[in-house]
Amino acid sequence: MSQKVLLNSKEVTIILHRLACQLIEKHLDFSNTILVGIQPRGVFLAERLKQLLENEYKVPEISLGYLDITFFRDDFRRTDKPLEANKTQINFIVEDKKVIFIDDVLFTGRSIRSALTAIQSFGRPSEIELLVLIDRRFSRHLPIQPDYRGRQVDAINGEKVIVSWKENDGEDVVHLVTN
């Protein structure tokens, strides 16, 4: 097994600032925009972006929620191992809001398809966008593309992209792992 660093801590920080600026450019004051982190790993990216937008760029009161897609996945009954659901926490109205799904890696697109189904339980958004830190562009099973991407990676099926966050893993780093 070999491992290559795709992004170090400094590069992750630069990308987070760029993504925050792109969001500000499109959404300005965020009064009608909601950030939704896809559980489990998209939550770390969503929280970081919220902190940056509020603390560094002085955007007031951004709504942030967490969406668990476990039971909306098309493969949740196809595994023998027990499912471990995460917590959905959406404490605001989604109806007629602009929702930005946030996830760490866009791979096949199936998680985002599940998120599109799951969010309907909370109302009908006026618009849904997708922000990802890593876009694995040659791996799609569904026609889903990000509106905002930190970095595009050409990884083949035997390779994995592993995103580590300092809040959970002790450091900000993205690795490409080959078996």
Side-chain angles (χ1 to χ4, degrees):
M1 183 169 97
S2 67
Q3 172 171 295
K4 174 185 169 187
V5 174
L6 292 177
L7 298 172
N8 62 32
S9 179
K10 183 177 180 180
E11 292 167 323
V12 169
T13 300
I14 290 167
I15 286 172
L16 290 176
H17 279 274
R18 179 173 45 81
L19 290 169
C21 289
Q22 289 175 345
L23 289 173
I24 291 169
E25 186 176 307
K26 174 96 187 263
H27 296 275
L28 301 175
D29 66 355
F30 288 80
S31 60
N32 199 40
T33 302
I34 297 167
L35 304 181
V36 176
I38 307 295
Q39 288 277 26
R41 313 260 329 152
V43 169
F44 301 111
L45 178 55
E47 288 175 348
R48 267 303 184 64
L49 285 169
K50 178 180 171 25
Q51 288 174 2
L52 266 178
L53 289 165
E54 289 179 344
N55 298 336
E56 299 282 327
Y57 297 102
K58 307 302 180 203
V59 177
E61 299 179 36
I62 295 174
S63 297
L64 171 62
Y66 309 136
L67 184 64
D68 179 54
I69 59 169
T70 303
F71 298 108
F72 293 92
R73 294 184 58 89
D74 59 3
D75 62 353
F76 90 93
R77 294 183 194 272
R78 296 179 186 215
T79 181
D80 293 332
K81 64 180 182 178
L83 292 175
E84 293 182 29
N86 292 289
K87 187 176 182 179
T88 290
Q89 183 179 331
I90 296 179
N91 302 325
F92 39 75
I93 303 296
V94 172
E95 191 75 26
D96 293 325
K97 298 287 187 183
K98 294 178 183 176
V99 172
I100 302 170
F101 285 148
I102 299 175
D103 208 357
D104 60 347
V105 179
L106 175 58
F107 184 27
T108 63
R110 292 186 183 280
S111 293
I112 303 308
R113 190 221 42 89
S114 301
L116 289 166
T117 303
I119 199 70
Q120 298 301 316
S121 301
F122 298 93
R124 185 174 187 259
S126 64
E127 183 179 325
I128 297 176
E129 295 179 331
L130 175 59
L131 181 148
V132 296
L133 182 65
I134 302 293
D135 175 12
R136 289 186 56 162
R137 70 178 177 162
F138 292 139
S139 307
R140 263 348 147 261
H141 295 175
L142 300 170
I144 293 174
Q145 300 300 321
D147 298 283
Y148 312 93
R149 73 173 53 89
R151 171 116 182 246
Q152 199 168 49
V153 175
D154 298 336
I156 58 176
N157 288 335
E159 298 174 319
K160 287 186 177 181
V161 175
I162 308 294
V163 178
S164 300
W165 296 103
K166 66 181 173 187
E167 297 87 347
N168 190 58
D169 307 301
E171 67 174 331
D172 291 336
V173 66
V174 179
H175 288 103
L176 180 65
V177 179
T178 307
N179 291 333

